[in-house]
Amino acid sequence: MSSKLRLAVLGSTGSIGTSTLDVAARHPERIEVRALSAHSRVDELVAQCLRWKPRQAVVTDVARAADVRRHLKEQGCPTEVLEGPQALCEVATDPEVDAVMAAVVGAAGLPSCLAAARSGKRLLLANKEALVVGGAVFMQAVREGGATLIPIDSEHSAIFQCLPEDRSTWGQRVDHIILTASGGPFRQRDPASLEAVTPDEACAHPTWVMGRKISVDSATMMNKALEVIEARWLFDLTPERIRAVIHPQSIVHSMVVCRDQSVLAQMGTPDMRVPIAYGLAWPHRMESGASPLEWSSLKALSFEEADERRFPGLFLSWHALRGPLGSTAVLNAANEVAVERFLAGRIGFMDIYRLNARALGAIEPRLGEAADLEGLMELDQRVRAQVGQWANARTM
Ligand code: NAD
Ligand code: MG
């Protein structure tokens, strides 16, 4: 076996994917990039293949695969090009891959995450939607496959860094956790003016540079809602033991409140390369490329409650967690459709919340539907079709 960590980066052309390659480039002696993947930004994938010469590259949008193959052949690049969503599962289970960075956006990442979990990989999970949809099925696959699940989402990485390696002690140690949220671009905006927000305004995040879907989720605080659900599964906590607080500076990445009321926080500059480097080096540490925290320029660290009138979406997470199994998959599917429609200019910003709340109230998961991947994918499709109809008919 090679002594290097052999890494597959799923969603390598995205914000997390490129940050992962940036960290990997700093450690050629420790990390070998074996596989990359992209959906539609194929020019970037070609450039990445020429730079990294991975054994395999996946183009999930089959219509674009031939182009990538031709370009790589012309340039004499030996990378084999696989196509279609199923190929993500193929590289995620390759016996010659040790670690999988799951950085696809949305529920589309669930099958490959499950496949990596079942084949016992080190699974670096950025793709929170996969866990929000997969829930118990996902965690069971991790246990049965003997996978090492390491959160990459900065808040969950923070909690993970504050906890000891021995998971069996977590339940007895933790009173509750506090996820921090920047509050996004509309933290101080008059709630009445939110109806008119444009996609570009929503994507202008004050402290993090991210993909467009998660940027909109941060503006609605649906991102924090998804993270509350993500934390429920990652740390096996009941909903009332997960709290969220607004912290505009994004320096404290999250906190663990212990049984004795001691509070452990993880801090640092807001740079995703920190949790990525931690996931790659775990249980050790290595250089990430992030700038040090400048204490002299830190004026204050402040914390405030999230206002329900401005961020009603956040509160849907606890509602979904208390609903029947599969409710979090309903919320996620509704949100993916709503955000897509909003980014395409077809619905308003506050319609995202309306569609999410309506779906959660009106669509019941069928008995047993949340018990396996097939059922979850059916539920996901059913919700997408229904929410799409509501959006078309403009009956939010
Ligand atoms: P992004 O939009 O920048 O990149 C998404 C990647 O997924 C791209 O490589 C794209 O080609 C691929 N992709 C898109 N649709 C696909 C599909 N249907 N099938 C297969 N691949 C597809 O997104 P991002 O900001 O890098 O976020 C990726 C994931 O990480 C999301 O789940 C997000 O919530 C999570 N995350 C991101 C950040 C961040 O700072 N960007 C932080 C925490 C968590
Ligand atoms: Mg996060």
Side-chain angles (χ1 to χ4, degrees):
M1 196 180 128
S2 149
S3 58
K4 288 188 189 179
L5 184 78
R6 298 167 300 180
L7 178 68
V9 186
L10 310 185
S12 63
T13 53
S15 163
I16 294 289
T18 50
S19 294
T20 303
L21 293 176
D22 181 282
V23 175
R26 294 164 195 276
H27 302 281
E29 72 301 341
R30 291 177 73 148
I31 297 167
E32 180 188 339
V33 175
R34 296 285 287 203
L36 298 171
S37 99
H39 191 58
S40 50
R41 293 208 288 267
V42 290
D43 293 346
E44 284 157 70
L45 182 68
V46 167
Q48 289 180 345
C49 288
L50 295 175
R51 155 75 177 82
W52 289 94
K53 309 256 178 334
R55 216 162 66 95
Q56 292 174 317
V58 176
V59 184
T60 37
D61 182 352
V62 287
R64 299 175 196 243
D67 250 11
V68 175
R69 234 175 248 123
R70 185 170 46 78
H71 271 99
L72 292 181
K73 199 167 168 209
E74 278 167 13
Q75 309 272 346
C77 178
T79 301
E80 178 192 6
V81 178
L82 308 176
E83 61 187 59
Q86 180 55 31
L88 288 178
C89 298
E90 211 176 299
V91 298
T93 56
D94 182 343
E96 292 187 17
V97 161
D98 306 307
V100 175
M101 168 57 79
V104 163
V105 60
L110 177 58
S112 50
C113 281
L114 274 183
R118 289 198 178 111
S119 56
K121 303 296 185 199
R122 174 187 293 221
L123 178 52
L124 310 177
L125 186 73
N127 181 203
K128 67 191 83 182
E129 298 93 340
L131 188 51
V132 169
V133 176
V137 173
F138 191 121
M139 295 311 288
Q140 190 184 356
V142 169
R143 276 192 306 277
E144 290 177 1
T148 306
L149 180 60
I150 304 182
I152 296 299
D153 215 345
S154 57
E155 297 77 2
H156 306 73
S157 173
I159 303 288
F160 189 67
Q161 292 181 53
C162 290
L163 291 171
E165 248 178 69
D166 181 359
R167 283 170 192 261
S168 68
T169 66
W170 292 359
Q172 147 280 310
R173 179 177 295 257
V174 178
D175 184 73
H176 64 278
I177 63 169
I178 302 172
L179 303 178
T180 52
S182 68
F186 308 134
R187 182 173 61 90
Q188 290 171 317
R189 187 131 159 183
D190 171 11
S193 74
L194 288 173
E195 298 284 355
V197 160
T198 65
D200 282 344
E201 284 177 292
C203 287
H205 197 277
T207 51
W208 296 96
V209 181
M210 310 179 285
R212 280 172 81 78
K213 195 263 175 180
I214 186 176
S215 297
V216 175
D217 285 346
S218 298
T220 57
M221 276 191 88
M222 267 309 292
N223 181 49
K224 211 51 52 185
L226 299 177
E227 291 182 356
V228 166
I229 299 166
E230 185 185 8
R232 184 263 171 270
W233 295 111
L234 283 172
F235 306 113
D236 193 20
L237 293 167
T238 49
E240 53 286 355
R241 292 170 73 197
I242 307 167
R243 301 189 189 157
V245 66
I246 292 184
H247 165 51
Q249 298 83 11
S250 299
I251 298 294
V252 174
H253 298 308
S254 278
M255 296 174 264
V256 173
V257 182
C258 303
R259 296 277 182 190
D260 54 10
Q261 298 307 314
S262 174
V263 182
L264 306 175
Q266 186 265 341
M267 301 165 74
T269 42
D271 186 329
M272 286 309 292
R273 290 175 300 177
V274 177
I276 290 169
Y278 184 70
L280 290 168
W282 182 89
H284 308 290
R285 298 259 178 186
M286 67 186 192
E287 201 252 318
S288 66
S291 312
L293 201 50
E294 289 297 343
W295 296 98
S296 55
S297 62
L298 268 187
K299 292 190 186 60
L301 297 178
S302 59
F303 301 91
E304 58 198 64
E305 290 284 331
D307 176 354
E308 193 160 357
R309 286 172 316 144
R310 212 174 262 129
F311 301 118
L314 167 65
F315 299 87
L316 295 176
S317 55
W318 288 283
H319 185 63
L321 280 173
R322 293 189 176 105
L325 212 59
S327 302
T328 59
V330 172
L331 180 59
N332 180 73
N335 186 55
E336 285 194 33
V337 173
V339 171
E340 208 179 278
R341 300 285 170 121
F342 169 69
L343 282 172
R346 293 172 60 188
I347 62 170
F349 182 72
M350 290 308 284
D351 292 333
I352 300 174
Y353 166 72
R354 292 187 190 103
L355 286 170
N356 291 347
R358 182 165 180 198
L360 198 55
I363 307 176
E364 275 263 323
R366 295 183 185 127
L367 201 65
E369 209 169 21
D372 57 26
L373 177 62
E374 213 173 49
L376 285 167
M377 285 311 198
E378 259 172 45
L379 174 60
D380 179 80
Q381 290 304 317
R382 192 153 64 84
V383 177
R384 282 171 198 265
Q386 178 63 78
V387 174
Q389 269 178 27
W390 289 336
N392 290 344
R394 306 204 60 78
T395 51
M396 323 294 181

